[in-house]
Amino acid sequence: MTSYDLAVRARSVFVDGGWRPATVAVRDGIVAAVADYDEEVPAHEVVTLPEGQVLIPGIVDTHVHVNEPGRTEWEGFGTGTRAAAAGGVTTIVDMPLNSIPPTTTVEGLAVKREAASPQASVDVGFWGGAVPASLGALEPVWNEGVFGFKAFLSPSGVDEFPHLSTAQLRAALEEIAGFGGLLIVHAEDPDVLEASVNQGGTDYAAFVASRPELAEQDAIGHVIEGVRATGARAHILHLSSGRALEAIRAAKAEGLPITAETCPHYLSFSAEHIPDGATAYKCCPPIRDEANRELLWEALLDGTIDLVASDHSPSTAELKFAGDGDFQEAWGGISGLQLSFPAVWSGARQRGIPLERVLGWMASSTAALVGLGQKGSIEVGGDADLVAFAPEESFAVDARALEHKNPVSAYDGSTLHGVVHTTWLGGTVVHQLGVAPGAPAGKLLSRSTG
């Protein structure tokens, strides 16, 4: 009989779009067979999940700021990928900022890969960056294997990653269309933001007013116009505005190659429940009101929003709480990589949305965005990235106990459903609840290697 490296048996396995009892057999990091639950599967190691745990594919998070090198005190590949594994995330795609240097050149990409390679506990891919100075030189970076290019349409918050004007956005889309790439866009219009500046301070409502929905609507309109004119693929990042959904729906109905994501924090929190001065919740675009949050959930269900990614954007506590609660001074970003999957599942469960929909938004659709066809599902020939997950177990979030480098989280003190017990990467355990992490087992990904 053929022997496998690992066999994981569970009464509920998400495979072929549904749930069934099965045994997943792994050889050389790949799913080699999906057998019946009771079938004898010879393997060097056989794991049977207890009642209450289901076997699911690893989460693919396509929006993560690791910040190493240059701002490694904010996060790093060691801590960031351990946090990913602890949250059931087996693949991340790292943003081209806030590292120094940013990933806007072939040389910058090489520096990033050198930093990541010895530390990665999960598989890591990379986005390139489209900034004014890199326009006209994007294709060499694409040829080095990045999954696409990130652009800001308003100031990014760091000087080494300036934003594109509307004319430069069009130039970037034309260039990217020429080699069949992908532009991913932070879509807020700088003119609207400039017109909305207020005195700020600790008032959360004033912070939201300083980044109105119109900023997203106008910027997304510019992206849609550019896609229509060039035929380039574009993806709207961290959509927070329900008012922008109509334009995205219309663009999709028109057949334009445009997709969109939202984030766990926009699905979990609402402005009505954010206290003044609570800068742990600051992000850009901002968390808006409850009615807006429900529009985002509806847009996920009807397919207007394609996927959910964490936008893990950590910083030191000193930066996150700068200004003693002044939203203008504090760093804007939510640290949530380890909690993103349980947070979205908790919100879905509360609304009667089944777990398979969440897996679609956070595993298969994210993998599809970046062309990682061997990830995001459990199927023969695919990577054996597996998670033993207890959907009905709950836990209280203690930011100090997370794997993130800095103990800062908007989720601190929340109770979430969904406990990750074991995470396998290519059939190797990279996280086990209550057990110290082992040696890093992640590999670097590119479009050429998958």
Side-chain angles (χ1 to χ4, degrees):
M1 296 180 69
T2 301
S3 182
Y4 300 98
D5 302 323
L6 170 71
V8 184
R9 178 178 283 112
R11 286 291 180 186
S12 188
V13 180
F14 187 64
V15 61
D16 295 330
W19 300 94
R20 67 178 177 92
T23 300
V24 177
V26 178
R27 185 188 297 117
D28 297 329
I30 302 298
V31 176
V34 179
D36 291 338
Y37 179 86
D38 295 322
E39 185 176 335
E40 183 178 351
V41 177
H44 294 294
E45 181 183 12
V46 177
V47 176
T48 301
L49 300 192
E51 185 178 353
Q53 292 184 27
V54 302
L55 189 66
I56 60 173
I59 299 302
V60 177
D61 192 337
T62 51
H63 194 152
V64 177
H65 294 267
V66 175
N67 306 328
E68 185 176 8
R71 291 189 175 93
T72 310
E73 69 273 17
W74 296 14
E75 190 68 274
F77 283 103
T79 52
T81 58
R82 287 197 299 272
V89 177
T90 51
T91 301
I92 66 169
V93 187
D94 175 60
M95 283 290 164
L97 74 163
N98 301 302
S99 57
I100 302 173
T103 315
T104 54
T105 63
V106 170
E107 294 77 16
L109 176 60
V111 170
K112 184 70 72 79
R113 284 176 164 158
E114 184 179 2
S117 182
Q119 303 185 71
S121 292
V122 301
D123 289 351
V124 180
F126 302 93
W127 295 108
V131 297
S134 68
L135 298 183
L138 299 179
E139 190 167 8
V141 185
W142 174 253
N143 291 339
E144 286 296 313
V146 299
F147 289 96
F149 296 88
K150 166 76 173 286
F152 277 76
L153 302 187
S154 58
S156 71
V158 293
D159 293 340
E160 67 276 1
F161 204 95
H163 68 283
L164 302 182
S165 68
T166 302
Q168 289 167 335
L169 166 67
R170 179 68 62 88
L173 287 167
E174 289 176 351
E175 184 177 353
I176 287 168
F179 54 78
L182 170 65
L183 186 70
I184 64 173
V185 185
H186 179 123
E188 288 182 288
D189 185 270
D191 294 334
V192 175
L193 295 180
E194 186 175 350
S196 304
V197 170
N198 57 38
Q199 293 183 343
T202 61
D203 182 4
Y204 184 72
F207 170 63
V208 175
S210 75
R211 305 192 85 97
E213 291 187 74
L214 182 61
E216 288 187 83
Q217 289 176 275
D218 283 3
I220 289 169
H222 294 318
V223 175
I224 291 170
E225 291 170 4
V227 168
R228 184 181 293 117
T230 65
R233 277 201 306 148
H235 177 72
I236 304 299
L237 296 168
H238 48 54
L239 181 71
S240 81
S241 168
R243 291 184 184 178
L245 292 168
E246 183 178 351
I248 295 171
R249 285 192 182 101
K252 288 187 166 194
E254 188 181 335
L256 298 180
I258 192 163
T259 50
E261 70 181 45
T262 193
C263 302
H265 38 278
Y266 300 130
L267 300 171
S268 299
F269 305 120
S270 61
E272 292 91 336
H273 297 94
I274 296 177
D276 288 346
T279 53
Y281 295 92
K282 179 184 176 180
C283 55
C284 300
I287 296 164
R288 305 190 190 277
D289 61 30
E290 286 185 7
N292 182 86
R293 181 183 63 191
E294 297 313 307
L295 290 174
L296 298 178
W297 278 105
E298 292 170 13
L300 279 165
L301 289 170
D302 71 22
T304 304
I305 299 175
D306 300 87
L307 58 93
V308 181
S310 71
D311 190 10
H312 177 64
S313 185
S315 72
T316 62
E318 181 182 12
L319 287 170
K320 192 61 184 162
F321 300 120
D324 294 325
D326 188 327
F327 282 95
Q328 284 191 332
E329 293 192 35
W331 174 257
I334 302 291
S335 181
L337 177 56
Q338 184 171 335
L339 302 170
S340 59
F341 175 45
V344 177
W345 163 236
S346 296
R349 178 181 177 276
Q350 181 181 1
R351 291 165 176 80
I353 299 169
L355 180 58
E356 55 264 31
R357 295 300 304 271
V358 177
L359 295 174
W361 300 326
M362 303 190 76
S364 58
S365 291
T366 45
L369 175 73
V370 291
L372 290 175
Q374 79 284 15
K375 295 186 179 293
S377 61
I378 299 174
E379 58 183 57
V380 173
D383 288 355
D385 300 345
L386 309 169
V387 177
F389 184 66
E392 294 307 312
E393 291 183 15
S394 62
F395 64 101
V397 177
D398 179 354
R400 298 166 298 179
L402 299 175
E403 295 287 347
H404 303 157
K405 178 163 287 188
N406 291 284
V408 178
S409 175
Y411 298 93
D412 193 30
S414 299
T415 297
L416 299 178
H417 274 83
V419 173
V420 174
H421 282 266
T422 308
T423 302
W424 292 268
L425 180 73
T428 297
V429 173
V430 291
H431 166 76
Q432 193 160 18
L433 191 64
V435 178
K443 61 182 182 294
L444 304 188
L445 305 175
S446 71
R447 286 176 300 99
S448 58
T449 63

